[in-house]
Amino acid sequence: MWSCLGLTSLLIAQSTQSPIDKPVEPLRFSKDGTFQISILEDLHFGENAWDSWGPEQDVNTVTVINRVLDKESPNLVVLNGDLITGENAFLENSTVYLDQMVGPLVDRGLTWASTYGNHDSSFNLSRSDLLARERRFANSRTEAMLSDNQAGVTNYYLPVYGSGAHHRERNNTPELLLWFFDSRGGVYYQEQDASGNEIPQPNWVDVSVVEWFQATNADLVQKHGKHIPSLVFVHIPINAALAVQTQHEVDSHKEPGINDDYPLAQQGQNWCASGEYGGSCSYAGQDEPLMKALAQTHGLMGVFSGHDHGDTWCYKWDKAISGIKPVNEKGINLCFGQHTGYGGYGTWIRGSRQVQVTESKLKDGEVDTWIRLESGDVVGAVSLNSTYGEHVYPATPNTHSSCPTCAYTSG
Ligand SMILES: *[C@@H]1O[C@H](CO)[C@@H](O)[C@H](O)[C@H]1NC(C)=O
Ligand SMILES: *[C@@H]1O[C@H](CO)[C@@H](O)[C@H](O)[C@H]1NC(C)=O
Ligand SMILES: *[C@@H]1O[C@H](CO)[C@@H](O)[C@H](O)[C@H]1NC(C)=O
């Protein structure tokens, strides 16, 4: 009886995008004209629930989030995919981990927006159930604006309004748009083929999402009579990130960051042109529709991804890749975050990329960014301005935790 009622209300809430449990206030720039985003990436909660190691990692991850938020005051937190390690999930409680990871945000009255990653879909973990869990919190701004479940779940945008009094009207033109795309991946929830094998889900942004993005953006351009500056969040990086890494060079001083995942894993990895999933297939261009759409978006300043825990740089994509070149002369900054979770692979020091947009810099398409580490240190502070890629910055130290699974301790 309870589960029937729960399911019914959940379906209603999702199909009508009921605003009842949504934050009342739209996002706005602060009075000082800034809007800051803290990206929590690859949190990987819920590993090895059957031993003490797994739950300890979750406690460590909550500590990282608290340490970052003790130093930073974001206007929005983005959970940029792989919130939970779905392969380790139990059917009866796979989404409960959400409560633990958002605890530090709820405590501080912060709101957040998520993209889901490849580990957020598994036999025992459903993306739409994860969204339903998020919707229990008024602080969650995560949505599913496409009803087609094949397209994944976290496809939506959030407008950010200006700080001035004249922006108070709801129907005013946003200063900034935040787009969230679902790069899918993992395996389908509770599905098996005739031989009992789990069924892989494609790991790129579906073409239906690309079409929705282009149509929705065109409507916004028409409605407001201008191209609104924007940022994109998507868990798995586009192929352009691999291309700049392998065909150009990520310079430790001009594009500071760790560059250990080389070559990096991008959308479409391990999927064959034939549509089959197999370990050794070379990249078949599945995300080219997305790359073309991004390249054609006036005002798009940056694309922020995770997935590759060992890459933390930003690189300006301003040259043609597979014949695709951004219309914007200033290019599109392709950025990784910093692995935030103690779950998931890698021992690189944990942290969180900060993105600061300033109203007065929007006309120049300029964004400031830095990484706040769990140690409290800041690394990789750069200005993603029109000449990013030419200036020399301090290189980011390639710091690791002192043993594979132990938490950071100061000193
Ligand atoms: C989820 O269920 C498993 C198996 O019963 C259990 O070990 C684990 O502690 C549970 N996790 C949470 C967050 O309740
Ligand atoms: C899914 O969850 C069930 C119930 O907790 C558990 O018995 C099973 O091992 C899990 N399956 C997978 C593939 O993780
Ligand atoms: C871009 O930022 C760098 C570093 O802050 C600065 O030196 C440079 O003058 C800026 N370029 C422009 C065009 O604003």
Side-chain angles (χ1 to χ4, degrees):
M1 187 59 181
W2 271 112
S3 62
C4 281
L5 280 175
L7 185 63
T8 309
S9 56
L10 185 152
L11 289 173
I12 291 166
Q14 284 188 3
S15 61
T16 60
Q17 287 299 322
S18 160
I20 292 163
D21 56 354
K22 299 301 291 172
V24 182
E25 281 294 305
L27 293 169
R28 290 183 198 292
F29 281 76
S30 297
K31 288 215 169 58
D32 68 358
T34 63
F35 186 83
Q36 185 178 331
I37 299 167
S38 297
I39 303 175
L40 306 180
E41 173 219 305
D42 292 277
L43 293 164
H44 282 279
F45 272 79
E47 296 197 342
N48 294 35
W50 49 87
D51 63 27
S52 59
W53 178 85
E56 279 168 18
Q57 304 317 302
D58 293 344
V59 170
N60 292 341
T61 303
V62 169
T63 304
V64 175
I65 299 172
N66 277 315
R67 283 196 167 133
V68 167
L69 295 177
D70 283 349
K71 299 272 187 187
E72 303 289 352
S73 304
N75 299 72
L76 178 72
V77 175
V78 170
L79 308 180
N80 208 13
D82 287 357
L83 282 60
I84 295 168
T85 298
E87 293 88 329
N88 286 181
F90 292 86
L91 186 60
E92 62 274 18
N93 67 9
S94 56
T95 63
V96 168
Y97 295 94
L98 191 268
D99 304 18
Q100 208 182 338
M101 74 183 80
V102 301
L105 316 185
V106 173
D107 289 349
R108 290 169 173 79
L110 295 170
T111 69
W112 70 84
S114 305
T115 70
Y116 297 154
N118 46 305
H119 289 276
D120 296 313
S121 271
S122 73
F123 190 74
N124 278 344
L125 174 61
S126 136
R127 283 167 130 66
S128 39
D129 286 353
L130 188 50
L131 179 61
R133 192 83 193 183
E134 284 204 50
R135 293 182 77 88
R136 292 173 164 210
F137 295 89
N139 308 47
S140 170
R141 297 178 183 269
T142 308
E143 289 185 48
M145 287 188 174
L146 265 79
S147 50
D148 176 10
N149 197 39
Q150 281 301 115
V153 168
T154 53
N155 297 296
Y156 61 106
Y157 74 93
L158 296 173
V160 185
Y161 295 92
S163 58
H166 59 287
H167 292 293
R168 292 286 156 189
E169 289 294 313
R170 275 252 183 156
N171 286 334
N172 247 326
T173 301
E175 293 282 289
L176 175 71
L177 297 175
L178 307 175
W179 295 93
F180 301 85
F181 300 134
D182 194 326
S183 50
R184 305 179 292 165
V187 299
Y188 286 107
Y189 177 63
Q190 296 288 298
E191 286 185 30
Q192 284 174 329
D193 66 15
S195 330
N197 299 311
E198 295 176 353
I199 302 173
Q201 171 171 239
N203 60 357
W204 60 89
V205 174
D206 190 60
V207 72
S208 65
V209 177
V210 177
E211 285 163 6
W212 165 83
F213 164 56
Q214 289 187 298
T216 307
N217 197 42
D219 286 349
L220 290 165
V221 170
Q222 204 194 7
K223 179 179 175 194
H224 299 292
K226 63 180 269 201
H227 297 281
I228 300 169
S230 59
L231 301 173
V232 163
F233 299 87
V234 61
H235 178 68
I236 307 179
I238 53 175
N239 186 58
L242 175 65
V244 298
Q245 186 193 42
T246 56
Q247 293 166 25
H248 302 282
E249 189 199 352
V250 178
D251 185 300
S252 63
H253 286 284
K254 292 177 179 168
E255 287 100 10
I258 297 169
N259 190 29
D260 282 351
D261 274 327
Y262 185 102
L264 61 83
Q266 86 285 41
Q267 293 187 26
Q269 193 199 34
N270 297 339
W271 283 82
C272 311
S274 64
E276 271 176 84
Y277 181 76
S280 59
C281 285
S282 53
Y283 168 70
Q286 294 94 337
D287 63 349
E288 280 185 5
L290 174 65
M291 289 208 291
K292 283 184 186 146
L294 297 174
Q296 287 162 9
T297 304
H298 291 271
L300 173 57
M301 301 181 290
V303 178
F304 295 85
S305 299
H307 190 61
D308 293 278
H309 305 175
D311 289 336
T312 69
W313 40 264
C314 292
Y315 194 101
K316 188 185 288 294
W317 169 27
D318 57 0
K319 295 180 185 66
I321 286 169
S322 312
I324 308 170
K325 187 174 184 289
V327 285
N328 184 353
E329 280 171 21
K330 296 179 196 104
I332 300 171
N333 296 289
L334 306 177
C335 292
F336 288 91
Q338 182 90 22
H339 184 199
T340 312
Y342 267 82
Y345 76 91
T347 58
W348 298 279
I349 188 167
R350 275 66 174 187
S352 161
R353 178 174 291 285
Q354 311 299 311
V355 181
Q356 190 177 60
V357 184
T358 305
E359 281 179 287
S360 59
K361 294 181 179 179
L362 281 172
K363 63 179 187 322
D364 298 318
E366 183 180 329
V367 171
D368 297 302
T369 184
W370 63 93
I371 290 170
R372 176 69 68 178
L373 297 175
E374 59 186 326
S375 60
D377 293 345
V378 168
V379 293
V382 301
S383 173
L384 301 174
N385 62 19
S386 60
T387 49
Y388 178 67
E390 295 170 22
H391 303 282
V392 170
Y393 292 103
T396 296
N398 192 341
T399 310
H400 289 255
S401 51
S402 52
C403 64
T405 60
C406 56
Y408 172 84
T409 47
S410 54

